[in-house]
Amino acid sequence: MNTRDKGEDGSLDRRNLLGTGAGIAIAAGVVAAASIPIEQARAQAVAGSSKLQEVIKRGKLIVGTGSTNPPWHFEDEAGKLVGMDIDMAKLFAKGIFDDPTKVEFVRQAPDARIPNLVTNKIDIVCQFMTVTAGRSRQVEFTTPYYREGTGYMMPKGSKYADYAALKAAGKDVKVAWLANVFVEEWNKKALPDAVIQQYETSDAAIQAMLSGRADIAAQDLSTIRWLVTKFPDRYKDSGFGWIPNSYSFAVKPGDTIWLNFVNQMVKEAVTGVDFDDYAKMFQTWFGETPPTPKIGYPA
């Protein structure tokens, strides 16, 4: 049992903790407040105007997500949605209903994330959404749940051992990128002398690497971790990452109760009572276990 959950045996007597009679009044207030269901208390505070109340009344959480981007959101062999974003959405449903199955997924393209949110077609976006200033003017972002970056993926049998070897090879290295106007600028920060090849899709860039047309492929670090975990005999990570950005969930602006609730859920997943669930997701989709939050120190 958690020490915070001990009964009325005096082991956590507020009078002893505070050392004054004021503890009696405070404790009495806590007991009285605890007798009011949390959803009732919130309803009294906002007269049922929060998205949280709407979700509770509806009996399910409606989540906007994708279906083609492992390890975040994709279909397994049975056509079932799986991935890190899917698992986090189920954790939210568990927090609201004590039932992770009470969630409906709306499959959407990335450019539909904000429109579907602001028109109330969905309650929340769980779709590896990068936080930017421009998007922050249209939605409210939650506490980040993943720190993304870019890395170099290599074939398992590459003649280059790691990033240091790639950098030392200079112009002899050919790197495959997904086509983007910023590729030259981004690559110069990591491998300034490498020869750049640009492809229409990430899959095409990876195929160029596997076929030998390129030595390495620039990919999201989460993609690299997923592929190395799934196919350890085919791929390896160069061990270098840059271009950091944050992934967060997004909610419609103006509802502080809903935003605060989701923020609490994210924080407790990353650093608190739901860390075991978060760590299991992380291990499943990225092949590594995040460090255990330091006990006794708030994150």
Side-chain angles (χ1 to χ4, degrees):
M1 175 183 288
N2 191 303
T3 54
R4 293 169 295 177
D5 298 328
K6 289 181 180 178
E8 298 178 356
D9 58 359
S11 56
L12 282 182
D13 193 328
R14 292 286 293 175
R15 291 169 295 180
N16 293 336
L17 290 174
L18 296 173
T20 69
I24 299 175
I26 294 174
V30 171
V31 172
S35 66
I36 303 174
I38 188 66
E39 56 266 30
Q40 179 182 341
R42 286 195 171 105
Q44 291 172 350
V46 296
S49 62
S50 173
K51 173 66 71 173
L52 180 60
Q53 294 305 314
E54 179 185 329
V55 171
I56 292 172
K57 184 176 180 180
R58 184 197 303 135
K60 65 179 177 181
L61 176 68
I62 300 178
V63 173
T65 192
S67 60
T68 59
N69 295 283
W72 295 99
H73 37 260
F74 64 105
E75 293 183 353
D76 64 12
E77 295 177 356
K80 180 182 177 182
L81 275 179
V82 295
M84 183 71 175
D85 282 333
I86 307 305
D87 285 349
M88 286 296 292
K90 291 179 179 178
L91 185 65
F92 297 154
K94 180 181 176 182
I96 298 170
F97 303 108
D98 291 324
D99 186 345
T101 69
K102 289 190 174 182
V103 54
E104 175 186 328
F105 292 103
V106 174
R107 305 184 190 207
Q108 58 188 16
D111 59 4
R113 291 178 294 193
I114 293 177
N116 283 350
L117 186 64
V118 298
T119 57
N120 294 312
K121 293 180 181 178
I122 57 176
D123 301 320
I124 186 171
V125 175
C126 297
Q127 196 171 353
F128 70 176
M129 197 168 180
T130 302
V131 177
T132 67
R135 289 172 177 168
S136 294
R137 294 195 297 267
Q138 304 174 73
V139 303
E140 290 194 42
F141 282 110
T142 67
T143 300
Y145 64 109
Y146 187 81
R147 191 71 165 157
E148 184 64 281
T150 301
Y152 292 122
M153 185 167 64
M154 312 162 69
K156 183 69 173 180
S158 173
K159 62 183 177 181
Y160 300 108
D162 51 24
Y163 170 71
L166 291 169
K167 194 166 186 179
K171 63 182 180 180
D172 291 335
V173 176
K174 297 186 289 293
V175 51
W177 276 87
L178 171 66
N180 190 295
V181 295
F182 298 107
V183 163
E184 296 281 348
E185 175 186 342
W186 291 341
N187 201 75
K188 187 173 291 187
K189 295 179 180 180
L191 294 176
D193 300 320
V195 176
I196 296 173
Q197 302 173 357
Q198 298 195 46
Y199 295 88
E200 288 299 317
T201 67
S202 291
D203 287 345
I206 293 173
Q207 287 304 315
M209 179 193 71
L210 292 176
S211 68
R213 286 176 285 144
D215 297 301
I216 56 177
Q219 296 285 314
D220 287 343
L221 279 172
S222 60
T223 299
I224 295 175
R225 287 169 174 166
W226 161 250
L227 289 173
V228 170
T229 298
K230 191 172 178 64
F231 305 105
D233 296 329
R234 188 182 304 176
Y235 304 108
K236 67 177 180 178
D237 185 356
S238 71
F240 177 78
W242 81 116
I243 317 177
N245 57 96
S246 299
Y247 285 167
S248 289
F249 305 107
V251 299
K252 186 177 178 179
D255 188 341
T256 57
I257 287 182
W258 180 230
L259 176 62
N260 287 341
F261 174 80
V262 180
N263 270 336
Q264 283 182 315
M265 289 294 299
V266 175
K267 183 175 181 181
E268 290 310 305
V270 175
T271 67
V273 295
D274 294 317
F275 176 75
D276 287 349
D277 289 331
Y278 180 78
K280 184 178 179 180
M281 299 175 201
F282 218 89
Q283 179 62 46
T284 298
W285 303 117
F286 307 125
E288 60 181 287
T289 300
T292 301
K294 185 177 180 180
I295 306 302
Y297 187 84

